Amino acid sequence: MTDSKYFTTTKKGEIFELKAELNSDKKEKKKEAVKKVIASMTVGKDVSALFPDVVNCMQTDNLELKKLVYLYLMNYAKSQPDMAIMAVNTFVKDCEDPNPLIRALAVRTMGCIRVDKITEYLCEPLRKCLKDEDPYVRKTAAVCVAKLHDINAQLVEDQGFLDTLKDLISDSNPMVVANAVAALSEIAESHPNSNLLDLNPQTINKLLTALNECTEWGQIFILDCLANYTPRDDRESQSICERVTPRLSHANSAVVLSAVKVLMKFMEMLPKDLDYYGTLLKKLAPPLVTLLSAEPELQYVALRNINLIVQKRPEILKHEMKVFFVKYNDPIYVKLEKLDIMIRLASQANIAQVLAELKEYATEVDVDFVRKAVRAIGRCAIKVEQSAERCVSTLLDLIQTKVNYVVQEAIVVIKDIFRKYPNKYESVIATLCENLDSLDEPEARAAMIWIVGEYAERIDNADELLESFLEGFHDESTQVQLQLLTAIVKLFLKKPTETQELVQQVLSLATQDSDNPDLRDRGYIYWRLLSTDPVAAKEVVLAEKPLISEETDLIEPTLLDELICHIGTLASVYHKPPSAFVEGSRGVQHKRLPARTGSGESAESPDVGQSVSVSEAPPAVIPSQGDLLGDLLNLDLAPPTTNVPVVPSSMQMGAMDLLGGGLDSLMGDDSETLGGDLGGSPAMGVAVGGAPVTMPAVGGGLGDLFDLGGGVGMTSGFYSPPKTVWLPAMKAKGLEISGTFVRRGGVINVDLSLTNKAMSVMTDFAIQFNKNSFGLSPAGPLQVLTPLSPNQTVEVSLPLGTTGPVMKMEPLNNLQVAVKNNIDVFYFSCHYPISLLFVEDGKMDRQVFLATWKDIPSENEAQFQIKDCHLSSDAASNKLQGSNIFTVAKRTVEVQDMLYQSIKLTNGIWVLAELRIQTGNPSYTLSVKCRAPEVAQFVYQSYELILKN
Amino acid sequence: MIHSLFLINYAGDIFLEKHWKSVISRSVCDYFFEAQEKAGEPDNVPPVIRTPHHYLINIFREKIFFVSVIQTEVPPLFVIEFLHRVAEMFQDYFGECSEAAIKDNVVIVYELLEEMLDNGFPLATESNILKELIKPPTILRSMVNTITGRGSSNLGETLPTGQLSSVPWRRVGVKYTNNEAYFDVVEEIDAILDKSGTTVFAEIQGVVDACVKLTGMPDLTLSFMNPRLLDDVSFHPCVRFKRWESEKVLSFIPPDGNFRLMSYHVNAQNLVAIPVYVKQNINFFDSGSSGRLDITVGPKQTMGKTVENVIVTIHMPKVVLSANLTATQGTYTYDPVTKILVWDIGKLTQQKLPNLKGSLSLQSGAPKPEENPSLNIDLKIQQLAISGLKVNRLDMYGEKYKPFKGVKYVTKAGKFQVRT
């Protein structure tokens, strides 16, 4: 006899019939009726009208009937609260039943009835059950606290159930411990700051003991809870790891992944030279591989997590490439994930295998997968230089297949390969051009147009090709339009004679006929550039491009660390922090990896993976400045890892030789040799072709906030600008550096504010300057003695000397700095006011002044206007003296005061100046004469700064 | 934790719903249907689906979608593992996990779900314990019920003692007249072979399944001749991990009845033997809307055993309308709707290699297919664990009687694919 018969009674009056049966005297009939009611309920039929009749069946000693009635109650009590109250007495009575099964059942069911009136009556029985002698009842009651909390959190707190629950963590029965942990974890999720799971070494020990003996589900709860603990030191960390490792051999994949989470997190604290660290790394690989032979759904979650793990610790799975090979009947979501991980694991050692696989995939049926496979080939080329050649030829083979979407993807990735390896593979352009007509996707069209524009000089009919695109200009997507505009301008700059008409056409299309502001703006910029200064235009448009980084779509390191703490959770599946999307977790705290506690040496000893990767990493990311930065790297710093692209500072685009050779002599100690060759070099440092080194743009507003410390008053009249942000946190894995330069008592100082905006503690700070124009170098170590905790700011003042190595910089007052901490090395550049270098003995004798003034050729004189300055000449003179600009003489002619001033720089260069101040005219005129005219511009800037502040 | 569960059939009907907390409207499943439609094939439905207020984690088993609803951060694997457990339990209780079976036993299903999860926390998921709490429907009982015209209780009246003991997987007071312990070592070969027959990737997934019917509280020790062969192992909770770590023996108090003692993994490093080779040639012609197919299968490294139940399955490109082939051994079928060609060969003999040859006709006018269909191979070898794993001995402590013991080996193809 099966239950399907319950579904067959769908005739009218069904409810009526059931009602009669429920009220029958016969037990069996009653039970059958309740079964029918339940059956209707499960398929979503509304049988709530029978509530009183069903509740009447509750008072029975037949366990099955009782359970059935309980099932019904749980479902409908909410809609019939007044009726539900009738059941309370029976519940209370059942909680006292001698049979623990019935006690547990009663307290469990009561918790499921989400009616306030019932929960009030639940408190007393629950209290008793939490202390019941039978562990089965206790473990059921523990969960009941969580249920109650979900319904009425306040009540749970008022009744002190949370404390009782905490006590249960020390219960003698492992199942009770596990359930208490589960309940507390759930409650804690809605109470982020409650500190409910106050973990200390004693409770950890209890949990670890319970871990071995409880059910698989209990193990998951306990492991997830353990993962929130931060061990005191590496020894404790190791001992926890040792006790968790056996869980990796559990049959339940959720247990395995939770164990992996604990190990990945606590591993962070272990010194890397420890034998155990290596052992642990080895132990992690096999269970991860095994997860991949499970059902596809499990595989998917495992793959998403492995994706995080290989980014954090690539060494774990570096030999396991083959398990990620795709089978043709894998579900698409598994295929795409596997592909992603294959690229992350691709290295010189396995690239041949990987490429063969990718080529295989590129002929599969699934379009999304094929596209991703083609893209992957391009990424391999960019990642593993040795394979580039083979990748390109594979891509060409694929283009020959003429499968439309394959061709388009191939062209998109070949564009990137061109960028990565300039002047190497351009011979394939002809093949690409053959496929021009088949491109119908914007990204592919844009890529092709970029290629044509970039290599216009090698493509004979580039103008025809671009013209053909131009015909349907208005129908193209913005991406293509922008690219087309740039490409035609490039073409024009390369072959100006034949393409004038074309460029005019595109400029007018972009500026006059388009609604898109981006397009119009770009059009205008090109137009003006071309019409005012074609040479400058050439330098801007055809400037050498920075190389692209080899790794794309890496997760940002601080986020990655947070996600590692969330292995196995939804966050790890979505690769987003839980705060970003989980609704139930209001204001979750960010988790972070524990910092290694071992002192300096262990922290500095380079990571195995890192040292490997450094040798593979092409240092070419910063090629033009390689040697300069090499200098910065000279510190005994931990090498940067490959997966963090070195911030491609805009230095490399700097217009290096605008200042010509003249500067070399500027640096010379012997100022006598100045003179002769100063003539020709243009005085202005304003770069046209390349962007000058830019300070991070955060400046202004933020800087004011920091004004307090390094303020004006502190120095004897020396003006120091407010601190500005030199290194934004997002570029330095959470370290933010702002600072300013100040001259105090004849000593140059840089005042720095180091702020830790990351999630982990920062230690081991050190600083180094690159060679610079005036030989500035730190006179002592960076004094950050205590570790910098998250959200903490430390103010440091670093005295500087001027005896360091000298090299001209562009601009002159540019300073390139490397700061190291336990995380990485960061580079930034900043500008110092040249007034920093004005020395105290800079007052020249009158006679000498006069002679020198005459001696310096007049072409070395530069004139500037200082506007909106309302100081009297005396006040100005005083103010300037505070910054070591000394007034040698003052002359008054009618309403005009003329101040003759002298400045001496740290390297012995004299600067002479004449400041003309007209009474009633807020505009001052400054004439600067110096044997090294390059400094004039900066002297003027200093004047302006000092006078206006 | 797990909030609700919906069971949805292939046609998209929600035929069962269960809520462990407040009731969630079944309209939440609309997001699932949306994802299902987007995925096309039911196998391609993403396992985790995000909706504005909930997450839907689902598995697809026996043409049923098990869709669970969660609201807070819950480990997805935890949910998926639980859903697998639910499906297994249905299988265990009703002999099959199908819509019909579930509908036939809806009250038991409901009771089971209630017992397996409390407030979203797993409660009892061990088959042994559940069967103590809720008796599975048996033919005998349903017969009695039909004859007497009344349903007797299918609910246990006793406390599930096992749940509280230190061996929660075993009942106390087990009694048998014939004491026996049988072990099946089952290995599956997962492999990808390329066109030329070279192994691209191969590994072995093995399990040791046990059927133990022993009286009392026996303590068993199972040892292997060559345990170092295994690259990764996972055990039933009953196995004492420390003993394995130190001595590489399996020491355990077994659950009663059928259970999976361990599963293991042998990696390619140990050179997996490939028992068959496949010579294949599938061509599509540029003109004439046709193609040719020629496949030969032969035994390779079989360690002297016979390869049986060989089946070759090919998922043909969409444009293939029909196949006109001749098989020298076995039979073939081509389903023009699903585009699946199945060649059931049977036993492989050394003397005569089975061959399947003939022409394929394509949709006229359609371009030649781009992709090359992969071959999927099924096979079975009795009395052989292809990894070479061998059980050394089984000892029993704690009880006085002498049990019957037995070990059986079998090798099968898992995901065994040949690219063309």
Side-chain angles (χ1 to χ4, degrees):
Chain A
M1 186 174 65
T2 65
D3 294 343
S4 53
K5 65 184 163 147
Y6 303 128
F7 292 101
T8 55
T9 54
T10 43
K11 42 190 189 289
K12 276 186 192 171
E14 181 189 5
I15 298 278
F16 183 78
E17 261 176 43
L18 281 172
K19 205 177 180 83
E21 284 176 41
L22 283 171
N23 291 313
S24 153
D25 297 333
K26 287 184 188 147
K27 261 191 190 171
E28 283 310 320
K29 200 152 199 181
K30 260 190 184 178
K31 198 162 80 186
E32 284 302 294
V34 176
K35 277 192 174 183
K36 282 184 199 167
V37 172
I38 302 271
S40 306
M41 186 177 86
T42 53
V43 292
K45 276 186 210 160
D46 184 12
V47 283
S48 59
L50 295 168
F51 200 91
D53 308 285
V54 178
V55 170
N56 276 339
C57 303
M58 189 173 161
Q59 292 233 11
T60 168
D61 38 9
N62 181 312
L63 193 59
E64 188 186 16
L65 187 54
K66 204 180 241 338
K67 277 195 159 183
L68 291 172
V69 175
Y70 279 179
L71 275 176
Y72 178 89
L73 268 176
M74 282 185 250
N75 231 10
Y76 285 118
K78 188 89 186 165
S79 55
Q80 308 268 342
D82 293 330
M83 293 288 189
I85 210 86
M86 290 163 35
V88 163
N89 271 336
T90 322
F91 278 128
V92 176
K93 215 174 86 200
D94 283 353
C95 286
E96 309 270 336
D97 198 280
N99 182 346
L101 190 61
I102 294 196
R103 291 203 296 277
L105 185 64
V107 75
R108 183 173 132 205
T109 314
M110 256 180 121
C112 293
I113 296 178
R114 309 175 63 85
V115 175
D116 280 344
K117 279 182 196 156
I118 295 234
T119 40
E120 281 167 35
Y121 290 99
L122 176 59
C123 291
E124 276 322 301
L126 178 57
R127 200 185 313 282
K128 270 189 209 142
C129 290
L130 280 168
K131 304 227 155 104
D132 199 284
E133 51 173 19
D134 194 302
Y136 183 73
V137 180
R138 288 203 301 277
K139 85 171 192 149
T140 314
V143 173
C144 192
V145 176
K147 294 180 194 169
L148 192 57
H149 185 271
D150 193 32
I151 304 166
N152 190 341
Q154 194 58 44
L155 186 70
V156 170
E157 276 176 55
D158 294 347
Q159 296 279 332
F161 285 140
L162 293 182
D163 292 324
T164 324
L165 206 49
K166 279 191 218 170
D167 294 341
L168 287 184
I169 292 187
S170 315
D171 199 277
S172 57
N173 186 295
M175 321 291 179
V176 179
V177 177
N179 274 13
V181 168
L184 279 172
S185 307
E186 189 174 81
I187 294 171
E189 216 174 294
S190 54
H191 261 265
N193 301 316
S194 55
N195 213 13
L196 277 176
L197 281 161
D198 186 19
L199 298 172
N200 54 46
Q202 286 74 40
T203 47
I204 289 295
N205 205 22
K206 290 246 166 60
L207 291 181
L208 285 168
T209 313
L211 182 62
N212 289 326
E213 293 165 22
C214 66
T215 66
E216 49 196 314
W217 313 107
Q219 294 185 11
I220 300 170
F221 298 136
I222 291 180
L223 286 168
D224 285 349
C225 176
L226 276 177
N228 291 330
Y229 177 64
T230 308
R232 288 161 305 173
D233 52 32
D234 48 346
R235 205 169 294 160
E236 190 186 7
S237 190
Q238 179 176 348
S239 93
I240 296 176
C241 285
E242 279 165 359
R243 294 177 70 178
V244 166
T245 326
R247 297 302 120 208
L248 292 176
S249 298
H250 202 286
N252 185 320
S253 59
V255 176
V256 175
L257 205 55
S258 290
V260 168
K261 162 165 57 188
V262 175
L263 295 174
M264 281 294 285
K265 187 178 172 186
F266 288 4
M267 226 172 145
E268 195 73 7
M269 291 184 72
L270 299 178
K272 298 211 164 115
D273 44 3
L274 198 69
D275 285 345
Y276 182 69
Y277 179 83
T279 319
L280 200 52
L281 277 182
K282 275 198 207 97
K283 280 193 172 164
L284 277 168
L288 289 173
V289 170
T290 298
L291 287 179
L292 294 180
S293 49
E295 287 82 352
E297 311 89 45
L298 294 173
Q299 274 188 53
Y300 171 73
V301 178
L303 284 165
R304 290 295 282 172
N305 282 284
I306 287 172
N307 200 327
L308 297 173
I309 292 168
V310 296
Q311 286 185 59
K312 181 71 188 170
R313 297 194 184 281
E315 62 271 30
I316 294 178
L317 287 167
K318 70 177 171 203
H319 298 303
E320 304 291 347
M321 173 62 90
K322 284 187 172 179
V323 299
F324 299 102
F325 285 0
V326 173
K327 303 198 174 73
Y328 82 91
N329 48 2
D330 281 335
I332 180 71
Y333 54 83
V334 168
K335 284 183 177 175
L336 295 176
E337 286 305 315
K338 280 187 173 174
L339 200 51
D340 215 41
I341 294 169
M342 279 173 69
I343 303 163
R344 293 201 195 285
L345 288 177
S347 68
Q348 202 184 334
N350 56 25
I351 193 73
Q353 277 180 336
V354 174
L355 265 183
E357 281 295 301
L358 293 176
K359 198 173 171 185
E360 192 70 43
Y361 304 160
T363 59
E364 279 228 25
V365 201
D366 197 307
V367 177
D368 284 343
F369 180 59
V370 171
R371 282 173 179 276
K372 194 157 180 176
V374 176
R375 241 165 233 240
I377 296 174
R379 276 171 69 184
C380 284
I382 289 165
K383 192 172 173 192
V384 185
E385 187 167 2
Q386 293 81 355
S387 76
E389 187 125 17
R390 223 173 325 170
C391 294
V392 171
S393 76
T394 308
L395 287 169
L396 285 179
D397 287 351
L398 291 173
I399 289 178
Q400 298 305 345
T401 65
K402 303 279 178 197
V403 180
N404 191 281
Y405 52 85
V406 174
V407 172
Q408 311 214 35
E409 286 297 328
I411 286 180
V412 171
V413 294
I414 285 181
K415 179 201 73 179
D416 288 342
I417 296 176
F418 283 170
R419 287 280 308 267
K420 172 79 184 186
Y421 308 109
N423 303 318
K424 232 175 149 180
Y425 301 110
E426 282 78 359
S427 53
V428 308
I429 289 175
T431 322
L432 303 186
C433 289
E434 287 165 20
N435 292 284
L436 211 61
D437 301 330
S438 64
L439 308 179
D440 53 10
E441 289 161 26
E443 203 181 352
R445 285 175 83 84
M448 192 64 223
I449 292 169
W450 183 88
I451 291 171
V452 173
E454 187 68 18
Y455 301 102
E457 67 273 23
R458 305 180 192 214
I459 304 171
D460 295 334
N461 59 343
D463 47 343
E464 284 169 37
L465 294 176
L466 291 175
E467 201 171 355
S468 69
F469 280 107
L470 203 56
E471 279 158 20
F473 189 77
H474 289 298
D475 303 327
E476 300 284 3
S477 73
T478 312
Q479 187 186 11
V480 179
Q481 289 176 332
L482 286 168
Q483 208 51 261
L484 193 52
L485 173 62
T486 307
I488 292 178
V489 172
K490 279 182 191 165
L491 174 68
F492 172 70
L493 289 167
K494 289 174 179 176
K495 301 177 177 173
T497 45
E498 309 116 76
T499 55
Q500 196 141 12
E501 209 171 299
L502 195 60
V503 80
Q504 299 223 308
Q505 204 183 339
V506 77
L507 286 175
S508 80
L509 276 172
T511 54
Q512 287 161 26
D513 299 347
S514 172
D515 296 333
N516 185 314
D518 285 346
L519 188 61
R520 278 203 313 266
D521 285 355
R522 196 186 284 192
Y524 280 124
I525 289 170
Y526 283 144
W527 203 326
R528 277 178 204 153
L529 261 175
L530 291 173
S531 56
T532 48
D533 189 353
V535 180
K538 202 162 189 166
E539 288 189 62
V540 172
V541 179
L542 303 180
E544 201 172 304
K545 274 157 280 299
L547 288 175
I548 53 177
S549 81
E550 61 187 49
E551 286 279 5
T552 45
D553 59 12
L554 277 176
I555 295 173
E556 191 261 323
T558 44
L559 175 60
L560 179 61
D561 284 356
E562 191 182 350
L563 289 177
I564 289 287
C565 300
H566 287 285
I567 283 177
T569 65
L570 282 171
S572 72
V573 172
Y574 284 99
H575 290 183
K576 283 180 188 161
S579 49
F581 66 97
V582 175
E583 214 174 57
S585 50
R586 293 165 282 271
V588 250
Q589 282 171 325
H590 290 277
K591 292 185 185 170
R592 56 191 164 88
L593 289 176
R596 209 168 303 136
T597 48
S599 59
E601 59 204 73
S602 59
E604 296 235 341
S605 68
D607 174 327
V608 190
Q610 283 182 343
S611 58
V612 170
S613 55
V614 164
S615 56
E616 289 172 4
V621 188
I622 27 167
S624 55
Q625 302 256 335
D627 44 342
L628 311 191
L629 281 166
D631 228 277
L632 296 178
L633 284 166
N634 261 346
L635 286 163
D636 183 22
L637 302 176
T641 52
T642 32
N643 48 10
V644 189
V646 175
V647 184
S649 67
S650 37
M651 298 171 206
Q652 63 204 55
M653 314 207 305
M656 288 298 289
D657 34 8
L658 271 185
L659 283 176
L663 259 177
D664 291 337
S665 46
L666 183 68
M667 255 60 78
D669 285 342
D670 188 0
S671 55
E672 294 296 321
T673 61
L674 291 174
D677 58 341
L678 289 176
S681 52
M684 298 299 152
V686 186
V688 182
V693 180
T694 44
M695 284 220 287
V698 200
L702 253 181
D704 291 344
L705 295 176
F706 295 104
D707 205 11
L708 297 164
V712 188
M714 284 180 64
T715 58
S716 56
F718 179 83
Y719 167 69
S720 120
K723 280 183 184 165
T724 48
V725 178
W726 287 338
L727 181 67
M730 56 178 290
K731 283 199 174 168
K733 301 183 184 170
L735 175 65
E736 183 182 271
I737 299 180
S738 54
T740 186
F741 293 94
V742 66
R743 192 175 177 91
R744 260 184 234 123
V747 180
I748 302 171
N749 281 284
V750 54
D751 289 342
L752 295 170
S753 297
L754 308 177
T755 307
N756 182 353
K757 297 199 168 173
M759 307 310 299
S760 52
V761 173
M762 295 178 178
T763 53
D764 307 319
F765 286 93
I767 194 165
Q768 180 92 320
F769 293 173
N770 192 10
K771 293 178 195 164
N772 55 72
S773 314
F774 294 94
L776 285 176
S777 64
L782 190 61
Q783 300 281 341
V784 184
L785 297 177
T786 48
L788 194 54
S789 320
N791 286 324
Q792 195 194 340
T793 298
V794 68
E795 307 276 346
V796 217
S797 192
L798 179 70
L800 305 181
T802 53
T803 51
V806 169
M807 188 183 71
K808 84 174 167 196
M809 292 303 291
E810 172 54 36
L812 208 55
N813 62 343
N814 184 20
L815 182 64
Q816 295 177 339
V817 184
V819 170
K820 184 219 107 168
N821 62 12
N822 57 328
I823 298 168
D824 208 340
V825 189
F826 309 107
Y827 306 98
F828 62 89
S829 61
C830 53
H831 297 181
Y832 47 91
I834 210 158
S835 56
L836 197 66
L837 306 166
F838 299 170
V839 294
E840 281 70 19
D841 61 344
K843 184 155 184 173
M844 222 178 213
D845 182 76
R846 274 182 177 220
Q847 296 305 318
V848 180
F849 184 91
L850 217 59
T852 318
W853 185 269
K854 280 181 187 156
D855 204 35
I856 299 176
S858 56
E859 58 260 42
N860 277 15
E861 184 174 336
Q863 234 178 41
F864 306 93
Q865 293 290 320
I866 301 171
K867 293 193 174 113
D868 293 326
C869 203
H870 299 280
L871 297 168
S872 72
S873 58
D874 286 342
S877 173
N878 281 337
K879 208 165 182 181
L880 291 168
Q881 185 149 357
S883 294
N884 295 342
I885 301 174
F886 300 97
T887 307
V888 177
K890 178 181 168 186
R891 196 151 66 102
T892 308
V893 182
E894 294 171 6
V895 290
Q896 191 167 310
D897 287 340
M898 283 187 270
L899 302 176
Y900 295 97
Q901 299 177 314
S902 72
I903 301 164
K904 188 183 168 191
L905 300 182
T906 45
N907 57 356
I909 291 180
W910 285 93
V911 180
L912 310 184
E914 179 201 66
L915 188 63
R916 262 178 280 175
I917 301 171
Q918 225 165 5
T919 323
N921 183 352
S923 213
Y924 299 178
T925 307
L926 175 70
S927 305
V928 178
K929 255 192 170 183
C930 178
R931 290 207 162 87
E934 294 83 359
V935 299
Q937 169 74 14
F938 300 99
V939 170
Y940 154 65
Q941 283 171 4
S942 294
Y943 264 84
E944 188 147 90
L945 269 175
I946 295 162
L947 289 172
K948 289 185 179 169
N949 284 289
Chain B
M1 291 294 122
I2 301 168
H3 210 115
S4 304
L5 173 71
F6 295 96
L7 298 187
I8 300 172
N9 67 15
Y10 204 70
D13 301 322
I14 305 170
F15 64 91
L16 190 120
E17 60 182 291
K18 166 79 186 143
H19 307 274
W20 283 277
K21 294 180 167 193
S22 52
V23 174
I24 290 174
S25 157
R26 51 168 67 192
S27 62
V28 76
C29 292
D30 291 349
Y31 295 101
F32 172 80
F33 294 130
E34 213 172 276
Q36 187 192 3
E37 198 172 320
K38 224 163 95 189
E41 298 279 311
D43 287 328
N44 283 342
V45 178
V48 185
I49 298 167
R50 187 175 173 180
T51 81
H53 300 287
H54 305 93
Y55 289 86
L56 306 177
I57 297 182
N58 68 86
I59 64 166
F60 181 63
R61 284 288 171 287
E62 314 289 337
K63 297 189 180 158
I64 301 170
F65 289 102
F66 292 70
V67 181
S68 64
V69 184
I70 59 173
Q71 212 161 9
T72 50
E73 177 67 89
V74 179
L77 280 188
F78 167 99
V79 182
I80 295 172
E81 282 278 1
F82 177 78
L83 294 178
H84 285 165
R85 222 51 70 82
V86 172
E88 281 163 25
M89 211 53 73
F90 290 167
Q91 176 83 35
D92 195 18
Y93 263 75
F94 315 129
E96 56 169 349
C97 174
S98 66
E99 186 183 350
I102 292 170
K103 277 188 168 169
D104 280 352
N105 299 289
V106 71
V107 174
I108 294 187
V109 166
Y110 223 67
E111 285 169 341
L112 274 175
L113 291 176
E114 187 58 35
E115 217 46 70
M116 290 176 83
L117 220 53
D118 178 18
N119 194 39
F121 299 114
L123 202 58
T125 51
E126 284 281 338
S127 156
N128 268 311
I129 298 171
L130 280 169
K131 283 186 178 157
E132 260 183 88
L133 288 167
I134 302 157
K135 297 219 174 68
T138 59
I139 297 168
L140 181 69
R141 206 165 53 240
S142 56
M143 259 168 54
V144 171
N145 286 351
T146 340
I147 294 162
T148 57
R150 55 195 197 103
S152 71
S153 169
N154 63 347
L155 224 61
E157 299 278 339
T158 48
L159 186 67
T161 44
Q163 233 175 339
L164 300 170
S165 77
S166 59
V167 276
W169 53 84
R170 190 173 178 90
R171 290 185 290 140
V172 282
V174 182
K175 269 208 173 75
Y176 287 102
T177 40
N178 291 325
N179 287 298
E180 36 191 32
Y182 297 117
F183 295 88
D184 288 357
V185 178
V186 182
E187 296 196 339
E188 292 194 350
I189 309 168
D190 281 358
I192 304 176
L193 308 184
D194 70 5
K195 273 190 245 311
S196 59
T198 328
T199 310
V200 175
F201 158 81
E203 63 179 14
I204 295 168
Q205 310 289 347
V207 294
V208 178
D209 282 339
C211 174
V212 177
K213 293 181 174 169
L214 298 174
T215 307
M217 272 287 170
D219 197 331
L220 303 180
T221 307
L222 182 86
S223 63
F224 295 104
M225 309 268 251
N226 39 11
R228 316 233 162 241
L229 213 61
L230 312 176
D231 285 313
D232 186 43
V233 284
S234 20
F235 297 119
H236 189 277
C238 68
V239 175
R240 298 182 181 100
F241 189 72
K242 285 243 165 68
R243 287 277 310 267
W244 173 261
E245 282 265 277
S246 55
E247 301 164 50
K248 298 282 175 200
V249 295
L250 299 175
S251 155
F252 55 98
I253 296 174
D256 185 35
N258 295 309
F259 64 100
R260 176 153 295 173
L261 180 62
M262 73 180 287
S263 46
Y264 60 87
H265 185 101
V266 180
N267 243 354
Q269 268 89 348
N270 295 335
L271 284 178
V272 176
I274 303 293
V276 294
Y277 72 88
V278 179
K279 262 198 259 172
Q280 44 72 29
N281 195 3
I282 302 175
N283 275 322
F284 299 107
F285 304 123
D286 283 320
S287 58
S289 314
S290 66
R292 278 204 66 74
L293 178 145
D294 187 343
I295 303 173
T296 310
V297 183
K300 206 171 162 189
Q301 296 158 281
T302 59
M303 325 281 171
K305 309 275 188 211
T306 318
V307 184
E308 300 168 50
N309 295 14
V310 181
I311 300 172
V312 179
T313 311
I314 311 172
H315 202 123
M316 287 290 179
K318 282 203 177 66
V319 292
V320 177
L321 289 181
S322 64
N324 186 7
L325 308 169
T326 329
T328 59
Q329 184 186 334
T331 52
Y332 84 93
T333 53
Y334 180 65
D335 182 343
V337 180
T338 55
K339 308 287 179 196
I340 292 175
L341 175 74
V342 181
W343 178 26
D344 189 340
I345 301 171
K347 211 179 268 184
L348 283 190
T349 46
Q350 195 71 48
Q351 300 80 25
K352 204 168 123 264
L353 300 180
N355 170 272
L356 180 71
K357 197 151 97 177
S359 62
L360 305 167
S361 59
L362 312 185
Q363 204 175 315
S364 62
K368 172 182 129 160
E370 302 298 343
E371 75 270 11
N372 303 320
S374 290
L375 274 56
N376 212 43
I377 314 281
D378 271 323
L379 56 86
K380 197 168 169 185
I381 308 171
Q382 302 281 8
Q383 297 310 319
L384 173 72
I386 197 99
S387 69
L389 187 73
K390 275 216 156 61
V391 173
N392 185 22
R393 53 182 298 148
L394 175 76
D395 298 306
M396 188 181 75
Y397 305 92
E399 297 288 338
K400 296 234 158 56
Y401 55 85
K402 219 169 162 351
F404 295 103
K405 301 180 277 192
V407 182
K408 221 168 71 184
Y409 300 92
V410 66
T411 296
K412 295 179 191 168
K415 293 172 187 158
F416 192 110
Q417 307 186 347
V418 184
R419 292 176 176 162
T420 60

